[in-house]
Each structure stands twice: as C-alpha cells, then as structure tokens.
Amino acid sequence: MLKINCKRKPNIRISEKEMFEENQDTDAIMFSDDFTMFKYISYLSKFKKDIPNALGLIGYNKDLIATLNKPKFTTINNKINDIVNTTVDTFLSILNNEKRAKRIILLTDIIEMETTKL
C-alpha cells in the first residue's frame, strides 16, 4: 500500500522536490516513467539513502534508459506493443461489426534490477 503523508491540502500539486523533502522517511517511490526516475535519481542522492536497501525506486515503461543508467532501474514493462496491437484489433472488429471481447486484460511485468529488493 502506498502512503504519502503530505503536509499540504489534498489535490494541490506539489513539486517532486517538495514531496521528497517533506517525506524523507519514504522507503519506496514509483515514478510515472523511467525518464522521470532518471531525472530525479541524482537529486535523491543528496538524501544519502541506500538504494535499494533503504529506498526502493521503480520506473515505468521499460525505457532503454532503465538499463543504461547505473544503478539499473527496476521498471514496469507495460508491453506497449501488446496494447497497440490489441487496440487496433479491437477497433477493426468494431468497424467490421465483428464479435469482440467486452473486457480485455493485458498483463504487465516487473523487471527487477538494481533499484529495488522485491
């Protein structure tokens, strides 16, 4: 479960910098994408947290940058090709009045690297 104790009113956007400084006891952060994680990993180093032992970091999208950086990022592979192919197939089925699934579930993978201990 993700719990963020923010000292500001709900629904008010704060910068990542403010969130990190106000919540230094955080033990894990999931970023919206791998590039954002890349952007903030050097900023996080000023808090001298031991990654991944004291602070776990997870990116999203399985970008190339996740494997080029040191430490290599743990990331969620959202399988964008599967999403695109399924979307196109579903759209074509709709256009052709063909039967199609009412609900489609696409699975993701977590690729554990050097920024988490799962």
Side-chain angles (χ1 to χ4, degrees):
M1 176 161 73
L2 175 64
K3 181 179 179 186
I4 297 177
N5 294 319
C6 186
K7 296 175 185 168
R8 296 179 184 260
K9 293 180 183 177
N11 300 322
I12 295 176
R13 184 163 170 79
I14 62 170
S15 72
E16 287 82 353
K17 177 181 175 185
E18 290 170 305
M19 197 265 308
F20 296 145
E21 288 178 358
E22 292 177 5
N23 297 285
Q24 291 188 29
D25 59 342
T26 298
D27 60 4
I29 300 170
M30 182 173 178
F31 292 87
S32 59
D33 57 75
D34 292 333
F35 184 75
T36 302
M37 184 168 158
F38 172 77
K39 191 166 75 171
Y40 284 97
I41 202 162
S42 62
Y43 173 78
L44 289 170
S45 67
K46 88 176 198 172
F47 295 106
K48 304 206 185 318
K49 292 237 181 176
D50 180 16
I51 299 170
N53 297 313
L55 179 65
L57 304 174
I58 300 176
Y60 191 82
N61 285 348
K62 193 188 167 202
D63 267 314
L64 180 61
I65 200 165
T67 58
L68 297 177
N69 196 57
K70 189 67 177 159
K72 292 181 179 177
F73 299 165
T74 296
T75 186
I76 304 291
N77 179 3
N78 64 353
K79 299 182 182 178
I80 191 67
N81 289 336
D82 291 351
I83 294 170
V84 170
N85 290 335
T86 301
T87 302
V88 169
D89 290 346
T90 302
F91 185 65
L92 290 174
S93 294
I94 292 168
L95 289 175
N96 294 323
N97 291 320
E98 297 171 355
K99 281 191 171 185
R100 64 189 185 285
K102 292 187 180 199
R103 181 179 294 181
I104 299 170
I105 298 172
L106 298 173
L107 302 177
T108 60
D109 294 323
I110 186 162
I111 301 169
E112 185 179 6
M113 295 288 202
E114 300 169 351
T115 58
T116 56
K117 283 191 160 186
L118 300 177

